[in-house]
Amino acid sequence: MTDTTLQVRAVTPDDFDAWLPLWDGYNRFYGRFDATALPEHITRTTWSRFFDGYEPMHAFIAEHGGRVLGLVHFIYHRNTILEGPICYLQDLFTVEDSRGQGVGRALIEAVYAHAKASNSSRVYWHTHETNHTAMRLYDDVAVKPGFVMYRKDV
């Protein structure tokens, strides 16, 4: 596959059936939920946010030959040390047989371009420390600032 044949674009409402298997695959990859999928109402809420002009949430897909190979979701939010919004790349997933072929890189680059056009000077994300395959790409397209994430579900 060459970069010229890969298309990255914003999702449309008609993309739901093609997007859903990748969304489910992403959630399984990170072990977010048991053998069943994420509750349908959460998936539907997430999907609807991509089309709500009041939500700062966006989604792109990568396609090749009519097949959806990857997805990326990103969110803009305020920051205390920058004037413009910053962009959190929340979810990135590619189908297994397309990994290492530039799909993830193309999705990240599309987020970078959207962020720049949206007056955002920073894109950041997290990944699990065991996601070594993805980190090879991330080390090539971004810097690792050394911060450790802490969280507590409340």
Side-chain angles (χ1 to χ4, degrees), residues 31-111:
R32 286 179 162 174
F33 304 96
D34 61 19
T36 63
L38 182 66
E40 184 178 353
H41 73 278
I42 298 294
T43 292
R44 292 287 179 176
T45 298
T46 296
W47 181 253
S48 70
R49 288 177 175 158
F50 301 141
F51 308 103
D52 183 338
Y54 292 104
E55 289 282 352
M57 188 178 287
H58 306 273
F60 289 159
I61 55 173
E63 292 179 303
H64 178 261
R67 180 178 174 218
V68 176
L69 300 178
L71 62 76
V72 66
H73 305 146
F74 53 102
I75 302 166
Y76 290 100
H77 65 86
R78 299 284 179 218
N79 184 282
T80 58
I81 62 169
L82 297 170
E83 186 174 9
I86 63 172
C87 181
Y88 175 54
L89 190 160
Q90 186 168 15
D91 309 312
L92 176 68
F93 183 77
T94 63
V95 295
E96 190 168 350
D97 65 351
S98 72
R99 293 182 188 149
Q101 298 181 38
V103 177
R105 180 182 300 271
L107 288 162
I108 291 169
E109 293 293 338
V111 172

